[in-house]
Structures are given as C-alpha cells and as structure tokens.
Amino acid sequence: MRKKYIIGNWKMNKTNSEAKELIALFKEELSGSLNENIQVVVCPPYTSLDMANSLLDNTNIKLGAQNVHYAPNGAYTGEISISMLKDLGVEFCIVGHSERRAMFVETDKLVNLKVQEILKNKLKPVICVGETLEEREYGKYKEVVKTQIEQALKNIDSLCAQSCVIAYEPVWAIGTGKNATVEQAQEMCEFIRYVISQIYEIQVSQKVSILYGGSVNINNSKDIMSAPDIDGALIGGASLKSEFIDIVKTQI
Ligand code: PEP
C-alpha cells in the first residue's frame, strides 16, 4: 500500500509568531494520532523553518520547503541551497509550483535541475505539474502534463524516481475555490502513473505517490483522496487554518 501524504503549502503567508501558533496547534491536535500510513508535511516560509523544526522535533509531522536553488552554494543573492534546508530539518521540497512557473520563470529545465539536487541530497521533491484552463479547453492537458513529468524526471534513475512525490495541480483549480472533480483528478493521476510506467516500468509507477492539489477543503478532501490513484493532497489555502487538522483527521 502506498503511503498517503497531506502536505500544506503556506506560500507567502504567516509571520514567524503566527506560524508558531499554527504549528503548535497542528502538533497538539495531530502528532499523537498519526500512523505510518499517513505522512503530514508542513511547508511554511523559509523564515519559519527553524522555529518549525524545533517545535516539530520528535513528532511525526515533517517539514518541507517551498523552493530551493539548484546550485549547492555560490553567488546567487537571495537564494537558498539544499544544504541550508537540510540543516534546518527539512525533508521535503516543493518544486515547479505553478505560481513559480508563471511568476518566476521556473522552466521544466530548472525544475529538473532542482529535482536532481534535492534527490542527490536525499530529500524528497514534491514535483508540481498541471495544465492551465486554456490547455484543458483545447484538449492539450495530457500532452502538457506528460511533457512536464518527462522533463522533471530527466536523468533521474528508477530508484530515485520512486522517492519522488508528484502533485497534479491544475492551474485553474489553485486558489480559485473551483476544484477538479474526483473523476478529473483520478483521470490525471492515473495518467501520470501511466507516463511514469512508460519512462521506467509499471513496478516503479506503482510505488510513486501522486497527490492532487487545487482548492482542496474539508468538504471535498475525503472523496478526492479515496480515488485509487490519488495518494493524498497538496493544500494551499486550507492549510493556513485549523481546517487542515480536520482534513487530516478524515484520513486517520
Ligand atoms: C497550492 O498552492 O498548491 C494549492 C493547491 O492551493 P489551494 O489549495 O489554495 O488551491
């Protein structure tokens, strides 16, 4: 059985003191009740990673970052390296989020370099893929996502591929309140698994965790996460409040 992941992407929200309050609440409400079939991950801004690492020490809630630079160190003003993240107890790192692709020119090539750097350092990349509304309406959505997956996994061997987490996040569903239907999300997660099976083999594709993200909330999370190829959720807005706890509790 594949592990289920519920990952909170806080984006550019919460000061350190606000983050401290929320992490403390997650810890109090969740850390005693999680089992090995479910992995909860929180991805606060860089500025709260150190605090979150101390608070979450000795709990089964893990820490993720929202981005990383692909170089190990050097003259990259304003950037953060994987060793800096590792040093703060980070175990997961989101890559290729559609906001970064759209606003910060994160290309497929850059996504691949970041995935390689993350895996080289034994962290887990959470690779985001997904089509725009226009691409869906033109019937190009599978082609777009296939290319994103193939490019992200370029030069990644099958063992490393198994430790990647993929998040199917249709751009039109992110932060819009308009989630994909369970059928749409399942169709795409199944398709992504097929694409991975074509790059490697079926056994590898069966081991990769594929999540859905895009306006997940307490009303739709249970149905979405019960689909056979959907192994959890990447959650933005609802991860900034106690609703995140309620969503996790539907899975334990
Ligand atoms: C996200 O940013 O990854 C996301 C899924 O956001 P939201 O849940 O707010 O749609």
Side-chain angles (χ1 to χ4, degrees):
M1 198 170 88
R2 286 184 298 271
K3 198 190 262 282
K4 272 216 155 58
Y5 289 91
I6 301 186
I7 305 181
N9 171 18
W10 290 14
K11 313 190 185 189
M12 195 175 73
N13 290 294
K14 308 270 179 207
T15 61
N16 197 44
S17 45
E18 290 166 346
K20 194 170 182 183
E21 237 175 79
L22 193 59
I23 298 270
L25 185 67
F26 288 176
K27 180 177 168 176
E28 187 187 319
E29 291 283 332
L30 293 175
S31 64
S33 44
L34 300 174
N35 56 51
E36 71 272 12
N37 298 326
I38 180 153
Q39 183 61 66
V40 172
V41 181
V42 286
C43 307
Y46 289 142
T47 46
S48 293
L49 287 172
D50 194 22
M51 172 280 298
N53 184 33
S54 308
L55 265 188
L56 295 176
D57 194 28
N58 287 320
T59 74
N60 37 21
I61 300 174
K62 293 196 184 294
L63 198 54
Q66 299 173 22
N67 187 27
V68 68
H69 196 274
Y70 62 83
N73 59 280
Y76 300 99
T77 303
E79 292 292 325
I80 299 286
S81 74
I82 198 78
S83 56
M84 294 170 186
L85 296 177
K86 237 172 139 171
D87 194 39
L88 297 180
V90 168
E91 294 181 56
F92 291 77
C93 186
I94 298 173
V95 196
H97 190 281
S98 63
E99 287 153 15
R100 294 210 60 84
R101 289 182 191 261
M103 293 186 264
F104 303 100
V105 205
E106 194 153 306
T107 59
D108 283 336
K109 169 88 187 139
L110 214 50
V111 169
N112 177 248
L113 290 173
K114 292 182 181 195
V115 169
Q116 291 190 50
E117 181 69 5
I118 293 166
L119 289 167
K120 204 163 78 190
N121 285 276
K122 312 273 181 245
L123 274 76
K124 271 182 175 294
V126 180
I127 305 168
C128 302
V129 295
E131 80 286 357
T132 62
L133 187 58
E134 204 181 19
E135 288 161 344
R136 175 159 282 263
E137 285 174 349
Y138 279 108
K140 287 191 342 193
Y141 57 105
K142 287 194 173 170
E143 195 185 316
V144 167
V145 169
K146 180 173 183 276
T147 303
Q148 289 173 338
I149 293 284
E150 286 171 346
Q151 294 302 310
L153 294 176
K154 225 170 162 183
N155 302 317
I156 306 297
D157 67 32
S158 65
L159 201 63
C160 285
Q162 291 170 37
S163 70
C164 293
V165 176
I166 310 283
Y168 168 60
E169 297 208 304
V171 179
W172 47 272
I174 296 179
T176 58
K178 187 183 182 305
N179 59 284
T181 63
V182 176
E183 292 71 28
Q184 287 170 324
Q186 163 60 24
E187 179 196 29
M188 286 308 289
C189 291
E190 187 181 11
F191 175 69
I192 290 167
R193 207 174 295 290
Y194 167 74
V195 173
I196 295 170
S197 77
Q198 297 297 294
I199 305 171
Y200 303 98
E201 50 192 25
I202 290 185
Q203 287 87 335
V204 174
S205 71
Q206 288 303 324
K207 289 187 181 143
V208 177
S209 292
I210 305 176
L211 323 184
Y212 166 77
S215 296
V216 171
N217 60 39
I218 187 61
N219 299 316
N220 58 28
S221 57
K222 207 166 173 202
D223 285 346
I224 290 172
M225 285 192 266
S226 62
D229 282 288
I230 304 180
D231 306 316
L234 178 56
I235 306 177
S239 73
L240 294 167
K241 41 192 176 177
S242 59
E243 187 174 355
F244 187 69
I245 297 167
D246 301 332
I247 293 172
V248 174
K249 282 187 176 167
T250 66
Q251 301 298 312
I252 49 186

